[in-house]
């Protein structure tokens, strides 16, 4: 996984290489949800900073009752191997610790992220699909289509924002009843955050996600990206 943190602190030039196109697309989606950074500097001048990160997990078969635990163990083992020849300041160790902490917190709170939950929450348009992988793809597509159809992209122009690419980071939870809860949005303007929250609230009730046959809360992250065009007419 490679990307750059631009002089404006925005993630760009995201590249991924994996064993399938679907995994590459998922990796890019996750990285695209990163918030805007304070840009890096070299000798006092703002610079573009390349960043590389490996994404490592273990694929299990249908009997994957301990999928999350095994993934956790793999992350811990990888971190410990690196620490034999390095220290806690190693960038990869820092990232692995972060992933380990997320899994620990989610497991304690009964929350399993959409990217790894055994049975994803299913959008109403996808309930007729029996294959779990296809259900996941269909649900992601349905959410993206809803956002693209419902978001008022002209709002940014009316707010006088510069003509550039706008990135809004949205997080929400699909709870044990399949309802959308805990919606959060981060954007360059409060009105854009309000618009993002408004359209996410319009999503229908889902069939809830499950892990080991038990209904769980499923956090979901979504980047909304669009280009601002001037509202002035010649």
């Amino acid at each position: 996984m490679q990307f750059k943190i631009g002089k404006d602190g925005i993630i760009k030039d995201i590249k991924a290489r994996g064993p399938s196109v679907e995994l590459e697309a998922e990796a890019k989606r996750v990285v695209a949800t990163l918030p805007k950074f304070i840009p890096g500097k070299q000798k006092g001048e703002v610079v573009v900073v390349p960043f590389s990160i490996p994404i490592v997990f273990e694929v299990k078969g249908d009997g994957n009752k301990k999928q999350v635990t095994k993934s956790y163990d793999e992350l811990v083992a990888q971190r410990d191997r690196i620490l034999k020849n390095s220290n806690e300041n190693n960038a990869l160790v820092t990232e692995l610790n972060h992933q380990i902490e997320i899994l620990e917190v989610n497991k304690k709170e009964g929350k399993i992220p959409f990217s790894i939950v055994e049975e994803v929450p299913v959008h109403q348009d996808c309930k007729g699909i029996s294959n779990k992988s296809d259900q996941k793809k269909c649900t992601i597509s349905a959410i993206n289509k809803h956002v693209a159809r419902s978001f008022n992209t002209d709002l940014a122009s009316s707010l006088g924002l510069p003509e550039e690419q706008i990135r809004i980071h949205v997080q929400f939870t699909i709870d044990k009843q399949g309802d959308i809860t805990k919606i959060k949005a981060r954007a360059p303007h409060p009105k854009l955050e309000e618009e993002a929250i408004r359209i996410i609230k319009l999503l229908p009730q889902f069939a809830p996600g499950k892990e080991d046959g038990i209904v769980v809360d499923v956090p979901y992250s979504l980047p909304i990206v669009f280009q601002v065009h001037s509202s002035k007419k010649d």
Side-chain angles (χ1 to χ4, degrees), residues 83-226:
L83 284 174
K84 289 180 180 180
N85 300 301
S86 186
N87 56 53
E88 293 285 347
N89 295 323
N90 183 296
L92 181 54
V93 170
T94 300
E95 175 58 30
L96 288 169
N97 281 334
H98 178 64
Q99 293 183 35
I100 290 166
E101 182 180 354
I102 289 174
L103 287 178
E104 288 174 341
V105 171
N106 287 339
K107 191 173 181 180
K108 288 179 182 177
E109 297 181 356
K111 298 188 299 183
I112 310 295
F114 187 90
S115 59
I116 62 173
V117 69
E118 185 177 343
E119 295 183 37
V120 300
V122 179
H123 189 277
Q124 289 182 359
D125 294 346
C126 309
K127 289 183 178 180
I129 300 173
S130 58
N131 181 275
K132 291 181 181 180
S133 176
D134 290 340
Q135 279 185 341
K136 183 174 184 178
K137 292 176 186 177
C138 179
T139 294
I140 292 172
S141 177
I143 293 173
N144 290 341
K145 286 178 181 178
H146 167 79
V147 171
R149 181 173 61 248
S150 306
F151 194 90
N152 179 13
T153 56
D154 293 332
L155 178 61
S157 299
S158 69
L159 294 171
L161 296 176
E163 294 187 50
E164 61 182 13
Q165 190 180 73
I166 294 292
R167 187 180 297 272
I168 303 171
H169 302 278
V170 182
Q171 293 180 316
F172 57 91
T173 296
I174 304 170
D175 69 14
K176 296 174 183 178
Q177 287 71 48
D179 295 323
I180 302 296
T181 62
K182 301 178 182 177
I183 306 171
K184 298 179 182 179
R186 188 183 306 178
H189 194 284
K191 290 292 183 182
L192 292 176
E193 294 177 354
E194 292 175 8
E195 175 66 5
I197 292 172
R198 180 189 72 82
I199 63 169
I200 295 302
K201 284 182 177 179
L202 295 176
L203 283 166
Q205 187 177 42
F206 288 65
K210 293 182 180 181
E211 184 71 25
D212 294 342
I214 299 172
V215 174
V216 293
D217 291 339
V218 179
Y220 192 97
S221 296
L222 173 72
I224 301 175
V225 183
F226 60 93

Side-chain angles (χ1 to χ4, degrees), residues 62-100:
D62 291 335
N64 58 353
K65 185 174 182 180
K66 296 184 179 179
Q67 183 175 1
V68 174
T69 302
K70 289 292 184 180
S71 298
Y72 173 86
D73 290 342
E74 285 291 317
L75 290 171
V76 172
Q78 183 185 3
R79 179 197 61 187
D80 292 347
R81 285 195 299 269
I82 295 171
L83 284 174
K84 289 180 180 180
N85 300 301
S86 186
N87 56 53
E88 293 285 347
N89 295 323
N90 183 296
L92 181 54
V93 170
T94 300
E95 175 58 30
L96 288 169
N97 281 334
H98 178 64
Q99 293 183 35
I100 290 166

